[in-house]
Amino acid sequence: MDPVRKSRDTSPAGTGRSQARTGPPPAGARPPSADPGTSSAGTGQSSGDTPPAPDRTSQARRARRRERLLTTATELFITRGYPATSIERICVTARVSIRAFYEEFEGREALLIALHNDVARAGMEAALTVLSDPATESADTRARITALTRAYVDAVTADPAATRIAFIEVVGVGRAVEEHRLLWRGLWTDFLIGEAERAVERGEAVRRDYTLAMVALIGAVNELVGHWARNTGMFSPLMLADELVHHALAVLGLSAAPDGAVAGGGSGVPVDGAAPVDGARGGPADEGE
């Protein structure tokens, strides 16, 4: 299963930024026209003098306009709050007409969904990139969970303003936004259940239904990342990531390293002396990993 690909297929239309950023091209964008009327033939111009195709110029202009709206909305949602920020305020600040706004977004919630989707996809893609590393693929569960969690946290906290939007401002906004959040929660639940099943197959976790446990873990992730977004000066993203690793390992019945540090160090290779699984949970020690 590829959660990011699934998200592209099932996310609300028009939620990504321009292709130069994180998401897919803007909704409604078209490739350059193949209409002969837009070529140099019959225009009296040489091929070297042919101006850019109108569709391509329009697409680039719309992409810039869309990005300006997203950037402006982020700044206003952070400083004023989502409820107090109107479409009119966004348009005036971004110097975009209201008509142009509605060419990009169905409404204010659609714009918020686009901002959330950028952060959510960045986190998932970072985790999948780490897991594609052969060292992580062969690593034990502690090292694997550590590597993917640190990569995820690095991605979703890279822009504190975007983090605040994705983990605080989206909460309780409306039905469309909540459905979008539930979509991502479902993707992450499936993803994490797959990681639990891998640990079970390796003999590193007890066999059971992990569905509810992973839903609870996702809730913990959302709360802790939101807490970091409200208090960015109190603790580092690395501290946040390692706390989340402890939670994830506990769900799987795994312990941290003897000195209290998470085994694996984010390198994809287990740390020497990693503690065995708590025998009361039915998991074997990691000898020979």
Side-chain angles (χ1 to χ4, degrees), residues 70-139:
L70 290 166
T71 300
T72 300
T74 297
E75 295 171 353
L76 292 174
F77 291 164
I78 293 301
T79 57
R80 299 170 58 88
Y82 175 83
T85 303
S86 65
I87 290 175
E88 290 77 9
R89 169 72 67 172
I90 294 170
C91 290
V92 168
T93 307
R95 291 179 296 179
V96 172
S97 70
I98 292 179
R99 178 180 178 180
F101 177 94
Y102 282 105
E103 289 178 0
E104 302 300 333
F105 303 102
E106 292 183 0
R108 195 173 51 146
E109 286 190 358
L111 189 154
L112 185 63
I113 286 171
L115 294 171
H116 176 275
N117 205 53
D118 273 356
V119 177
R121 289 182 60 182
M124 178 65 80
E125 289 173 348
L128 293 177
T129 297
V130 166
L131 296 187
S132 67
D133 186 325
T136 308
E137 176 61 31
S138 61

Side-chain angles (χ1 to χ4, degrees), residues 1 5 26 44 76 95 137 139 142 207 225 261:
M1 172 185 174
R5 181 176 181 180
L76 292 174
R95 291 179 296 179
E137 176 61 31
R142 290 189 190 90
R207 186 177 299 279
V225 177

Side-chain angles (χ1 to χ4, degrees), residues 189-190 193 196-197 208-218:
T189 299
D190 292 344
I193 289 173
E197 291 173 349
R208 68 184 183 91
D209 186 346
Y210 282 94
T211 303
L212 293 179
M214 293 311 173
V215 171
L217 178 59
I218 292 167

Side-chain angles (χ1 to χ4, degrees), residues 4-286:
V4 171
R5 181 176 181 180
K6 183 176 179 180
S7 75
R8 290 170 181 156
D9 294 339
T10 58
S11 294
T15 58
R17 297 193 183 187
S18 63
Q19 199 166 19
R21 298 280 301 214
T22 305
R30 302 189 303 273
S33 172
D35 184 350
T38 63
S39 69
S40 60
T43 64
Q45 294 177 316
S46 66
S47 59
D49 298 330
T50 303
D55 281 359
R56 182 174 298 175
T57 301
S58 176
Q59 181 179 354
R61 183 166 55 249
R62 286 192 61 176
R64 291 193 299 270
R65 181 178 67 191
R66 183 182 181 87
E67 186 68 19
R68 192 160 67 250
L69 286 168
L70 290 166
T71 300
T72 300
T74 297
E75 295 171 353
L76 292 174
F77 291 164
I78 293 301
T79 57
R80 299 170 58 88
Y82 175 83
T85 303
S86 65
I87 290 175
E88 290 77 9
R89 169 72 67 172
I90 294 170
C91 290
V92 168
T93 307
R95 291 179 296 179
V96 172
S97 70
I98 292 179
R99 178 180 178 180
F101 177 94
Y102 282 105
E103 289 178 0
E104 302 300 333
F105 303 102
E106 292 183 0
R108 195 173 51 146
E109 286 190 358
L111 189 154
L112 185 63
I113 286 171
L115 294 171
H116 176 275
N117 205 53
D118 273 356
V119 177
R121 289 182 60 182
M124 178 65 80
E125 289 173 348
L128 293 177
T129 297
V130 166
L131 296 187
S132 67
D133 186 325
T136 308
E137 176 61 31
S138 61
D140 71 3
T141 299
R142 290 189 190 90
R144 185 176 170 93
I145 293 296
T146 301
L148 74 87
T149 302
R150 287 181 174 175
Y152 169 83
V153 170
D154 282 347
V156 301
T157 62
D159 179 352
T163 307
R164 187 176 182 90
I165 296 292
F167 289 88
I168 298 175
E169 295 297 329
V170 297
V171 177
V173 167
R175 180 176 178 180
V177 177
E178 190 60 24
E179 287 179 351
H180 182 78
R181 294 179 68 223
L182 289 174
L183 166 65
W184 274 103
R185 185 178 301 176
L187 295 174
W188 275 109
T189 299
D190 292 344
F191 176 86
L192 294 172
I193 289 173
E195 289 299 303
E197 291 173 349
R198 177 186 182 276
V200 170
E201 294 302 319
R202 288 173 58 91
E204 297 173 338
V206 64
R207 186 177 299 279
R208 68 184 183 91
D209 186 346
Y210 282 94
T211 303
L212 293 179
M214 293 311 173
V215 171
L217 178 59
I218 292 167
V221 171
N222 289 337
E223 285 298 318
L224 286 173
V225 177
H227 183 68
W228 176 86
R230 293 184 182 95
N231 306 277
T232 54
M234 292 183 62
F235 56 100
S236 68
L238 180 58
M239 292 176 63
L240 168 64
D242 286 349
E243 185 62 35
L244 291 175
V245 171
H246 280 285
H247 281 268
L249 294 179
V251 167
L252 295 173
L254 297 171
S255 60
D259 62 358
V262 175
S267 64
V269 180
V271 170
D272 292 339
V277 179
D278 183 352
R281 298 298 297 272
D286 289 330

